[in-house]
């Protein structure tokens, strides 16, 4: 039964995206203010009914997100790239994802293996595929693209060389204004160059040091967040002319429906054969209207946005709307203290 999936919801044009239960949303703030930090923690399965219940969350938006991804790739094939030496890391990633989905969602996915002869079934997307592991000619796409067309979240694959990480493969169709085509072949400090304040605080030096020690079988995760006007998955630099102007359409009347908190649940995995690191950036959107149905989230979001350093509000692209957002959110903040933690 695939009745739980919103097959027809849209992240463009008609924007029918919605969450049936906002409490499932991974609210990212554990205090009333926010600053960049090396916020990495073990990626352990969490409470039932949350986005952390399983290693890779498959939620009600799965089918609709995969339809949206296919549209983006049809318009712009450069959204998915893999340099020639990353094919093995692509197979590692395919294995990681197929194993996790078949283990955690056996009602939807199954993987049967007989040596290198594998059989994969993806029931929600109606896919059945027999193939030979590590033989590209037996799949309709290269291994990375094949599995990415069946996986929510943008992913990048990092090769480790010369004491740093190189983004040598990636797909981005649900990104917060960055580009695989621009970043591919860059190293950890290069692709992070546009981020304000974090370099001088040593955040990227410490984060890289931590990642270079990442072990197979011990994934880690962190949150990132930004704001998006309308539930757009694909906010790419390549299509800025289409979605950028939407930022000028906000009023106090439409703020609740149009403004979305965009949360990225990012997880990192050391891959076994290639020794590459896979980075999953999973995007969750929730309208202000739905967020403020949880009173402690309403209070906290108001305070975080009100007090966020100007450099961060500018980088995240909402400085022009910040005052209007704070005005709207202030009506949902009764001034009561909040407790630290989620
Ligand atoms: C932003 C990739 C790991 C912290 C970004 C951006 C990219 C990116 C593409 C956008 C930069 C732009 O404006 O063009 C990656 C990849 C990682 C990784 C591929 C793993 C290999 C980390 C880690 C940290 C981190 C471990 C921990 C501190 C940040 C921060 C931002 C950022 C703070 C700014 C985000 C914002 O304010 O919206 N990252 N990142 N990244 N990254 Fe990473």
């Amino acid at each position: 039964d695939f009745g739980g999936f919103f097959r027809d919801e849209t992240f463009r044009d008609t924007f029918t995206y919605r969450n049936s239960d906002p409490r499932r949303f991974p609210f990212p703030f554990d205090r009333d203010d926010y600053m960049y930090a090396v916020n990495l923690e073990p990626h352990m399965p969490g409470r039932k009914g949350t986005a952390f219940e399983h290693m890779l969350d498959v939620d009600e938006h799965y089918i609709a997100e995969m339809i949206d991804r296919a549209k983006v790739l049809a318009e712009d094939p450069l959204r998915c790239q893999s340099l020639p030496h990353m094919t093995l890391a692509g197979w590692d990633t395919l294995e990681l994802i197929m194993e996790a989905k078949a283990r955690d969602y056996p009602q939807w996915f199954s993987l049967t293996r007989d040596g290198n002869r594998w059989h994969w079934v993806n029931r929600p997307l109606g896919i059945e595929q027999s193939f030979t592991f590590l033989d590209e000619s037996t799949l309709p796409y290269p291994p990375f693209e094949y599995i990415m067309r069946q996986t929510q979240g943008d992913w990048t694959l990092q090769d480790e060389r010369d004491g740093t990480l190189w983004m040598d493969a990636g797909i981005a169709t649900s990104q917060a204004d960055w580009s695989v085509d621009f970043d591919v072949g860059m190293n950890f400090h290069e692709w992070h160059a546009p981020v304000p304040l974090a370099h001088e605080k040593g955040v990227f030096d410490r984060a890289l040091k931590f990642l270079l020690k990442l072990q197979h079988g011990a994934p880690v995760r962190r949150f990132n967040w930004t704001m998006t006007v309308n539930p757009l998955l694909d906010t790419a630099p390549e299509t800025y002319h289409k979605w950028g102007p939407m930022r000028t359409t906000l009023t106090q009347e439409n703020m609740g429906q149009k403004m979305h908190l965009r949360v990225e649940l990012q997880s990192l995995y050391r891959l076994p054969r290639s020794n590459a690191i896979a980075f999953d950036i999973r995007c969750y959107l929730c309208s202000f209207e739905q967020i403020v149905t949880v009173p402690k989230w309403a209070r906290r979001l108001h305070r975080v946005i009100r007090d966020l350093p100007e450099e961060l509000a500018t980088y995240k692209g909402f400085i022009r709307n910040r005052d209007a957002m704070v005005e709207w959110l202030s009506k949902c903040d009764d001034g009561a203290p909040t407790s630290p933690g989620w």
Side-chain angles (χ1 to χ4, degrees):
D1 171 23
F2 305 132
F5 291 112
F6 293 151
R7 190 177 290 271
D8 298 323
E9 74 178 344
T10 54
F11 305 88
R12 53 177 79 206
D13 307 322
T14 48
F15 295 121
T16 61
Y17 169 90
R18 69 189 191 285
N19 293 301
S20 57
D21 178 9
R23 282 168 197 269
R24 200 179 184 283
F25 185 70
F27 190 73
F29 305 115
D30 64 344
R31 44 191 286 172
D32 287 356
D33 51 43
Y34 179 81
M35 179 35 83
Y36 294 141
V38 185
N39 53 341
L40 290 161
E41 57 179 326
H43 185 34
M44 308 279 274
R47 219 166 8 97
K48 204 169 155 44
T50 66
F52 312 101
E53 180 176 351
H54 300 302
M55 189 180 99
L56 298 178
D57 182 37
V58 178
D59 67 6
E60 60 194 2
H61 309 296
Y62 177 55
I63 295 178
E65 284 190 31
M66 294 301 95
I67 292 171
D68 197 73
R69 166 160 289 175
K71 284 185 185 159
V72 176
L73 289 173
E75 282 163 21
D76 183 0
L78 293 179
R79 298 301 192 83
C80 181
Q81 301 195 31
S82 177
L83 299 181
H85 64 283
M86 297 307 279
T87 305
L88 185 60
W91 284 110
D92 275 335
T93 307
L94 174 145
E95 176 188 54
L96 176 87
I97 293 172
M98 287 185 175
E99 278 184 348
K101 288 193 169 167
R103 177 189 68 223
D104 296 334
Y105 301 96
Q107 70 279 34
W108 296 330
F109 305 97
S110 81
L111 178 65
T112 328
R113 284 183 274 200
D114 172 11
N116 271 356
R117 294 158 59 102
W118 293 22
H119 186 72
W120 166 246
V121 182
N122 177 335
R123 291 182 193 91
L125 296 184
I127 293 171
E128 253 204 87
Q129 182 76 45
S130 292
F131 63 100
T132 306
F133 188 67
L134 301 179
D135 179 354
E136 269 196 81
S137 68
T138 60
L139 283 179
Y141 298 100
F144 179 65
E145 180 169 351
Y146 179 77
I147 198 63
M148 287 303 132
R149 285 176 176 270
Q150 303 178 46
T151 305
Q152 288 166 281
D154 290 335
W155 288 64
T156 62
L157 303 182
Q158 282 63 229
D159 193 26
E160 185 174 327
R161 302 189 303 274
D162 308 326
T164 187
L165 297 172
W166 302 84
M167 192 195 287
D168 286 345
I171 183 167
T173 67
S174 54
Q175 69 291 68
D177 202 8
W178 64 277
S179 163
V180 162
D181 190 41
F182 186 72
D183 285 358
V184 74
M186 285 191 192
N187 69 36
F188 192 83
H189 281 80
E190 288 170 347
W191 78 65
H192 280 123
V195 181
L197 304 184
H199 292 271
E200 46 271 44
K201 287 176 189 293
V203 165
F204 291 119
D205 291 335
R206 289 199 305 278
L208 176 62
K209 226 171 154 177
F210 187 102
L211 290 187
L212 293 176
K213 292 191 206 126
L214 189 66
Q215 298 289 312
H216 175 57
V220 295
R221 69 173 171 239
R222 64 183 293 270
F223 286 114
N224 186 42
W225 65 277
T226 188
M227 293 286 166
T228 306
V229 177
N230 291 324
L232 283 155
L233 274 183
D234 182 35
T235 53
E238 290 90 340
T239 52
Y240 185 82
H241 59 284
K242 290 190 192 161
W243 56 268
M246 292 179 195
R247 291 173 168 173
T248 64
T249 61
L250 287 174
T251 62
Q252 288 302 304
E253 289 65 47
N254 67 23
M255 182 74 68
Q257 300 109 56
K258 278 205 169 197
M259 188 53 101
H260 289 71
L261 175 57
R262 180 186 195 102
V263 172
E264 295 174 350
L265 169 52
Q266 308 180 340
S267 50
L268 293 129
Y269 308 83
R270 176 73 75 178
L271 299 175
R273 297 173 189 76
S274 58
N275 197 43
I277 288 180
F279 184 59
D280 171 15
I281 311 146
R282 174 67 187 278
C283 170
Y284 292 86
L285 294 161
C286 193
S287 64
F288 272 19
E289 197 171 63
Q290 282 205 309
I291 292 206
V292 301
T293 61
V294 182
K296 66 177 181 185
W297 292 358
R299 292 184 191 111
R300 189 158 272 175
L301 186 62
H302 168 239
R303 297 168 198 179
V304 167
I305 300 307
R306 183 191 61 199
D307 301 337
L308 193 73
E310 187 161 339
E311 292 91 335
L312 270 72
T314 303
Y315 173 72
K316 289 174 185 289
F318 62 84
I319 191 76
R320 66 170 292 145
N321 290 319
R322 172 168 30 188
D323 291 348
M325 290 154 72
V326 171
E327 183 185 340
W328 193 90
L329 288 167
S330 68
K331 297 181 182 127
C332 309
D333 183 354
D334 58 8
T338 61
S339 335
W342 283 278

